[in-house]
Amino acid sequence: MLYREAGQFKTSYAADQAMLPILQDRIGILVILLVAFVGIPVFATDFFMGSIMIPFLVFALAAVGLNILTGYAGQLSLGTGAFMGVGAYSCYKITTLFPDTNIIIAILLSGVFSAIIGVIFGLPSLRIKGLYLAITTLAAQFFLEWCFIRIGWLYNYNDSGAIEVPQRKIFDIAVTGASATPMVRYLVIVSIVAVLSLVAANVLRGRIGRSWMMIRDMDIAAELMGIRPLYAKLSAFAFSSYYCGVAGALMVFMWLGSAEVEAFDINHSFLVLFMVIIGGMGSILGCFLGAAFIWVLPIVMRGLPSLMGLDILAATTEHITNIVIGVLIIFFLIVEPHGLARLWQIGKEKLRSWPFPYASS
Amino acid sequence: QAEDSMYMPSMTYRTGPFAGGGTPFADGYADYFNMLNERDGGINGVKIVVDECETAYNTQKGVECYESTKGNGALAYSPLSTGITLALIPKAPVDQIPVFSMGYGLSAAAAGEQFPWAFVYPASYWSQLSSILKYIDSNGGIEGKKIGFIYLDVGYGKEPIPLLDQLSESMGFSVAKFPVGVKEMQNQGSQWLNVRKERPDWMIMWGWGAMNPTAIKEAAKIRFPLDRFIGNWWAGSHSDLKAVGESGKGYLAANFSGIGQDFGAVQDILKYVVNEGKSKVGSPDDVGNVLYNRGMFNAVVLAEAIKVAQDTTGKTIIDGADMRDGLEAINLDQARLTELGLEGFTGDVQGSCSDHEGNGSIFIQQWSGSDWEKISDLIPPMTDVVRPMLEEAAESYVSDKPDWKGQACS
Amino acid sequence: MADKTPDSQIQNDIILSVNNIEVIYDHVILVLKGVSLHVPKGGIVAILGANGAGKTTTLKAISNLLHAERGEVTKGSIEFRGEEVQSLSPNELVRRGCIQVMEGRHCFGHLSIEENLLTGAFTRKDGNAAIKKDLEMVYQYFPRLRERKGSQAGYTSGGEQQMCAIGRALMSKPSMILLDEPSMGLAPQLVEEIFDIVKQLNVDTGVSFLLAEQNTNIALKYATYGYILESGRVVLDGTGDELRENADVKEFYLGTGGEERRSFRTVKHYKRRKRWLA
Amino acid sequence: MELLNSIFVAPFVDMAAYPDFLIQVIWEGFVAGVLYSLIALGFVLIYKASGVFNFAQGIMVVFSALALVSLHEAGVPAWLAVVLAIGIMGVLAVSIERLVLRKLVNQHDAILLMATIGLTLILKGVGELIFGGEPKPMITEQLGLPTGSTDWEVFDGIVIFQHIDIAAAVIAVLMVMALGVFFSKTRIGRALRAVADDHQAALSVGISLHQIWAIVWFASGIVALVTGIMWGARSEVSFALEIIALKALAVLILGGFTSIPGAIVGGLLIGIGEKLFEVYWGALFGSGVEAWFAYVLALIFLLFRPQGLFGERIIERV
Amino acid sequence: MTDISQTADAVESLDTQSDVDAPETLRYTEELLRVDNVSLSFGGVNAITDISFNIMKGEVRAIIGPNGAGKTSMLNVINGFYHPQKGVISFRGKPRRRMKPYKAAASGIARTFQNVALFKGMSTLDNIMSGRSLKMHRGFLWQVINIGPARNEEIEHRKRVEEIIDFLEIAHIRKQPVGKLPYGLQKRVELGRAMAMEPELLLLDEPMAGMNLEEKEDMSRFIIDLNTEFGTTIALIEHDMGVVMDLADRVVVLDYGKKIADGTPKAVQSSQEVIDAYLGVAR
Ligand SMILES: Nc1ncnc2c1ncn2[C@@H]1O[C@H](COP(=O)(O)OP(=O)(O)OP(=O)(O)O)[C@@H](O)[C@H]1O
Ligand SMILES: Nc1ncnc2c1ncn2[C@@H]1O[C@H](COP(=O)(O)OP(=O)(O)OP(=O)(O)O)[C@@H](O)[C@H]1O
Ligand SMILES: [Mg+2]
Ligand SMILES: [Mg+2]
């Protein structure tokens, strides 16, 4: 009753093909965008924007990237962290070699390098499949990490071996560097993420996205239907790595401000993978839900004891957070292996058939 | 926060792969402030609220800790992680909260002109390395020798390399480097095979966490003389050597903070905090361990800075900017140390506008098989060589930051 | 209508009874809307019905395999030899003699044909000699399997896999077999053979069968009793002969409206299925 | 020219010039390889039995070893500590099966993988909560493991053999043989492979997944404990050990997910290969190549044999 | 060349037994696909041994034979998934030995699979749309913005796909994920997907397995319509002899990888060899 499409007739295929064919969804998205672009900047604290929203958006974008590869094209990858690193280091090189480049352009461009590297490490996917492939992507992860350490040129031979974000301005407003306010950084990042998510949704609905899903669901049949595995897989690697690269650049330039190799280590690959799986493989919405869950929950958990006036050691909170997150992950997988996005869908389904408990087949 | 207290964040890592070092350090840090609160009712009557935030040695969590606590009136941050320090250095001037990376972080931060908001008392890595080399030189000469440098292959471990390269030319020794990846910390077989192949005369180690005991064990395995194997001050704690035990006998390490419980301040901690059950330390025996005392010293410097700031400004409750001034004006000479109950605990530490490392000296300690023993006098660094290099590095750090604000020091 | 089913004289000889079960997939999709059926000891019972009627679901509910598909029985009960099936795990069911041949073959792709057959004997405790003997029997039934016994099942042809799946079930020495579309993908000759085997096992060793089968013709020829399932409900039931004589069954399932078999070429489509629901 | 020389000539000249050192390198590689194999073995057991890629194997190594050491610290005699540690792993196995695996039958690989990552977080949290985050020394002597070393004088030099390393190799070999017999000679072995292929079908033929999973997780828990003791004896027992487990992944794909001999051969290949490469060629790349050598070796290898050395063929058929 | 004449001979010799169908066969004059002396083996198993036959443009050609005879393998060879060790395959007169599957698809060969090979995570609509992949060309950048050409293209093909959906009467499951559809419907969707490719030659591997009579009748009607109205040439593997008899113009019979008969359904059905190997008791 509450969530009824009844009465919403589509009279053209164009209308039926629209991204959000249902009115309630369109309203929902509008509200979210309003909150994201107006509500949060106006009402939220710096901490909320700087330490919750910005990382959340960075990870959501990375999760979109990984989801394209894993959820849509079916190629499990554990190299997300390194691809984010490629983006970050490229962006650093671009901004330091060509200091006049507009920083937004530099960030968007840095994804291209990540995409190229992604394609190179995607090549084995033509022969290697499934978990075997997942582990060979670790080769990318560790090799690239090693490069970030060994190739001094990448970090301009800094003594510290870290990349540090130079200050860049757009229209005289500092966008990167320490003096850029969280609000400015937040607005930049939320715009980029919104646009890129839209792009991803478009591509995934079209011919190319479909070809990835074909490869994912049944690669042999896809090939027998005229899909060239080479193109499909490599384009998925490229597209996905582009997103990861941009996310990496945003992570360093808009959030951390400086980064060592550890910022791109294997744990980040796992973190993003958590988000994708908890959120729901093969769902853009899921990426956001997953990122929120995995990033925000621990922060909330850490804040809880002091909110409740309990004097618990920070480390104990950390251990308990680990346990709780672990338990929740397993719990969610058991309740709904297809992630939060699917849970959301079931919720909608229930609303749709409400007040009846089940839809009849 | 309350009117009568000051807020002192404590970034800790009691979890994760480096928890072994992070835990005693955090204990020492918290216990000293608590001791001041218990014994003296705080500093000049103002209590210090120590608030721990767990970073797990992870830069992102560290930044998050920073962002979530900086609004509480935080006076200074000591992240105990080079990665977090690097992330905080650019933020410090904006938020007006000094970063005190005691003996770690960015060596270049010693140059106060360029880094008004960062401090590395009592010495930068480079100063430390120069002292270690001086020790080697005074124990059989260094010229013509081959020095092996084994280090954790991250920013922290790589920091001293430029100086090492420079000094190898001026002092006439050769260098062989052995990086140890974070993932290889407990799996150093090949590095030590390479050591055996290269046959260096001395080994210097820039290690942390599980890397240290593994390295010492491996060195013993290939029969490298342990009394020619020197760890830096993060590679010479009790927790490192506990796992090695008897077989680590002879191993050397640099240190700048006194060992043991024979200091007035430490006794007070035992009396007012530990024995009262107000400490998180595992057992009273752990008090006085190398890293415990180091964490305590971190607190000592901060407390001293607070006091200096209070005295100069006349305020009882100070803010980050006052704290910065206090840190800069710090003067921990032996007289003051004795007053604090830390006689002979460390060398003089004296800051100034341009000197943010305090010209600290180190001493060398040796593992007896069951405990650390101090075996050398204080060794001052080679300031003449190190200082110009620090300034140069500082220059290059700010060179691509057009809006960076340094300070003029006359 | 479904409940008037079994003749009262065999009531106490019922090996399996399904009482008014409801099955829901994924928490929201209601598939079975109250299905009841009974299999007498030593009987061959067929479930017939269109695609998606719920035949497979019924069989999986019986052998307690729905969990793996995120389905659950929300109402009703299933009893195998008087025991509540829901409280037994699938392997306990097999131990008690009830085994299922799943639709779509489900052979263990990486195991050879012979290994596949041997896994069927997993629950048996009567020694290697007996197992060997039964293996020999399966090979007798399906000579083709003997030829391919060393090949990985994943590479064998569709029909060979079907034989393998059936043979595997036989290896457990069951007293009740649930057969889901046994004839699917088998050559005509083999279809006859399979049903001969069914008959033979039924007569010789008293094995009971519940089979979901699309090949109505042959199923009704061998079945002692049949149920017709539509959209999750039993719409018609009766003995094999009764059903074969039923005009609707003739028309829609046997294709023998008139005297001669209708030609596939000449049939024109009209919405016939509607009649069942009315 | 210079480059070619340093790739193709100099290292071999080096090897020939100091054969004692070469032997030492190979021995070290061998021992490291044995230890990698031990971790990989734990993975293989579970993968073989359920198709679950158990990411928690690394943390299980740490967890079991910490349990052992902490028990001893608490005053329990060494032998009893071992028994209790084995008991803990047993309880763990049963609870994992009860609370996690049972509910996730028939799910996608990635989801099972994810569940084991969740498990990793839990074990880590619980472990640090109970045993604390500090590293602990392994109770090598109390367990009766040898500590000294033996020198072998050969080719005008010496090769040093640590007794603990020899012990590790012997124990690994014994363990592999035992497991090999268990899985190939019992009907459980076949059932395991069936389960890995198709959970639902395995259920349908009456294989008890519950029982099999509990057994296998218990077995790999014991393997984890042994691994933990051996690695711990080399350095110390700490959560940093978990990272080494990642290296075992490379071993795993090189050897093939489902093969016990594969885990051994893969481990030795990688152990010896990476030591030789690091020592003789590492400098060319600026050293530290160990970080990726194993993976790149495995990757290149897989290009020719996508299922690894001894893995089962990947079936492609329509 | 000689092989073809042999095949032709064989056809004729069988044809003579049933003169009723003879004129029918002559209706087709143009050869679409020719298989010459193809052999395929896997390790020790000879899946196909020296088989030759042809498919005329516009006909319905059935392939039958006992289980494991090599029927599916034959289809796999035709569309390039298996590479025969020996023999040549000519499609539209162009001979080839090896071919990448996607090239076969591009040249106009589509198929369905014995063990349904749908894209399980996608909806019915997307599955059928995926059949249009080869016909869609708009580049990546257009897809990114998804207005203008890419969108129009999508809608245009959607129209075509909707026609197929109507034709197959699966409109009600248009938006459902196919993974959980009943088996019979999956087969139908698979047919739709192959139809969407608008192939010249359509290979159907047991399209009616697991269907009841009514559904088989429906399916037959689709196949007939496809053949007569769209002129698609069809190669059909089927075990239901009733269907084969009614639909096929000519039948080739395989046994143990060898061809044992080739001709009109009537002729084949009465061949003793076929009865022995395949049909069992004559019906
Ligand atoms: N795992 C599942 N999740 C959701 N729905 C399902 C699932 N399995 C089956 N269904 C639905 O349940 C209904 C009954 O399916 P079932 O497989 O029992 O039919 P069937 O009679 O065996 O059909 P067929 O003859 O095609 O095998 C179908 O509508 C199907 O879509
Ligand atoms: N990739 C392969 N590797 C090994 N053997 C194979 C392979 N593909 C097919 N075979 C074997 O070749 C033979 C022919 O198989 P095919 O699938 O063509 O049979 P079919 O005629 O389609 O039988 P069915 O009617 O049972 O589907 C079988 O014995 C099969 O085991
Ligand atoms: Mg069915
Ligand atoms: Mg076939």
Side-chain angles (χ1 to χ4, degrees), chain E residues 72 114 205-206:
Chain E
T72 302
Q114 184 171 6
D205 197 346
E206 302 194 15

Side-chain angles (χ1 to χ4, degrees), chain C residues 68 106 109-110 115 122 155, chain D residues 187 193 197-198 313 315 317:
Chain C
H106 284 284
H110 286 100
E115 286 173 319
F122 183 78
Y155 283 113
Chain D
R187 78 200 164 107
R193 290 167 57 207
D197 257 350
D198 188 332
R313 251 163 95 194
I315 289 183
R317 218 208 109 116

Side-chain angles (χ1 to χ4, degrees), chain C residues 148 156-157 159-160, chain D residues 317, chain E residues 67-68 70-73 82 114 239:
Chain C
R148 312 283 291 129
T156 55
S157 84
E160 288 161 350
Chain D
R317 218 208 109 116
Chain E
N67 297 114
K71 305 179 293 297
T72 302
S73 303
Y82 286 164
Q114 184 171 6
H239 283 304

Side-chain angles (χ1 to χ4, degrees), chain A residues 10-19 21 205, chain E residues 151-152 155 158:
Chain A
K10 265 79 77 176
T11 46
S12 69
Y13 292 132
D16 194 48
Q17 307 266 76
M19 196 174 319
R205 284 183 308 144
Chain E
R151 194 178 153 96
N152 294 341
I155 288 169
R158 170 79 187 267

